Amino acid sequence: MNSTEDLMKNRQKIALQNIQSLFSTQRLAVLATQYNGYPYTSLMAFASTSDLKNILLLTSMSTTKYDYLTACPNVSLLIHNSQNFSNHKGDDVAVTAIGTASTVSGLDKKKLLATFLDHHPSLTKFALEQTTALISVAITKYIMVSQFQNKIEIPVSLSMSKINDPVAANKIDPVSTKKY
């Protein structure tokens, strides 16, 4: 492996660690769905699995967003740490997660719901209602933007477990890096 590949793998590892840190501190995401060719956004409570392969959401099955999720499961989520203050330091980070949404059922639901409720214990009553759906978004790619212009794209195959596994790390695809 040459030094360019080493540098890229190190950037990927740092980016994933930053994403994991961001997700552990943030509670809300903007969910973007689409229907009949038009975008639709919703502010949602979210949690992620520890390997960053899935983002979890709860919604009532009687909502417009649920209808849109089931009609067209291709979605994106925006998670960020920015605040609307005048003393802005430029250290904001925004992560777009792109993936496919599905309603969770069966054996997976108990485990994934526990993950979600670890992050949002105040939503337990809502989570257990018969009309509440647990949605899992299987992530295909993360796009992280920092300092308003530094962009890095990371394919989902590059999970935290692979970054920490030296054999798997040698099989990682390169990421795209360019100005936002």
Side-chain angles (χ1 to χ4, degrees):
M1 191 171 352
N2 64 39
S3 61
T4 304
E5 290 173 337
D6 289 339
L7 180 61
M8 193 63 101
K9 286 184 185 0
N10 192 45
R11 287 193 71 206
Q12 294 167 342
K13 183 176 182 177
I14 291 168
L16 281 171
Q17 290 169 340
N18 288 339
I19 290 169
Q20 198 169 47
S21 177
L22 176 71
F23 287 7
S24 71
T25 61
Q26 300 304 307
R27 301 283 183 252
L28 299 174
V30 176
L31 169 70
T33 56
Q34 57 181 324
Y35 187 73
N36 285 339
Y38 291 96
Y40 184 81
T41 56
S42 305
L43 192 60
M44 305 285 295
F46 84 98
S48 68
T49 55
S50 61
D51 62 5
L52 300 177
K53 290 184 178 184
N54 295 278
I55 292 181
L56 308 171
L57 312 164
L58 287 179
T59 188
S60 172
M61 290 185 272
S62 64
T63 61
T64 300
K65 73 178 128 304
Y66 184 76
D67 291 343
Y68 290 178
L69 282 167
T70 54
C72 181
N74 298 324
V75 302
S76 66
L77 294 120
L78 176 69
I79 300 106
H80 64 89
N81 69 350
S82 64
Q83 297 179 359
N84 202 13
F85 295 128
S86 60
N87 63 347
H88 184 0
K89 298 176 185 151
D91 56 355
D92 297 335
V93 173
V95 173
T96 298
I98 298 171
T100 305
S102 61
T103 304
V104 180
S105 61
L107 298 175
D108 290 336
K109 186 172 183 178
K110 186 175 182 178
K111 179 181 175 188
L112 292 175
L113 187 56
T115 298
F116 182 89
L117 292 174
D118 281 347
H119 204 57
H120 296 281
S122 65
L123 294 177
T124 300
K125 182 178 177 186
F126 176 64
L128 298 177
E129 292 177 7
Q130 292 289 338
T131 58
T132 299
L134 176 63
I135 305 296
S136 178
V137 180
I139 304 302
T140 56
K141 177 171 53 173
Y142 286 108
I143 304 167
M144 185 174 79
V145 177
S146 60
Q147 299 174 335
F148 293 109
Q149 64 180 357
N150 297 326
K151 174 182 158 186
I152 184 167
E153 293 185 23
I154 307 164
V156 77
S157 61
L158 186 62
S159 68
M160 287 304 290
S161 58
K162 284 190 177 182
I163 275 291
N164 295 319
D165 176 357
V167 173
N170 287 328
K171 298 177 183 176
I172 293 171
D173 296 328
V175 296
S176 165
T177 59
K178 60 169 80 171
K179 297 289 183 191
Y180 180 64

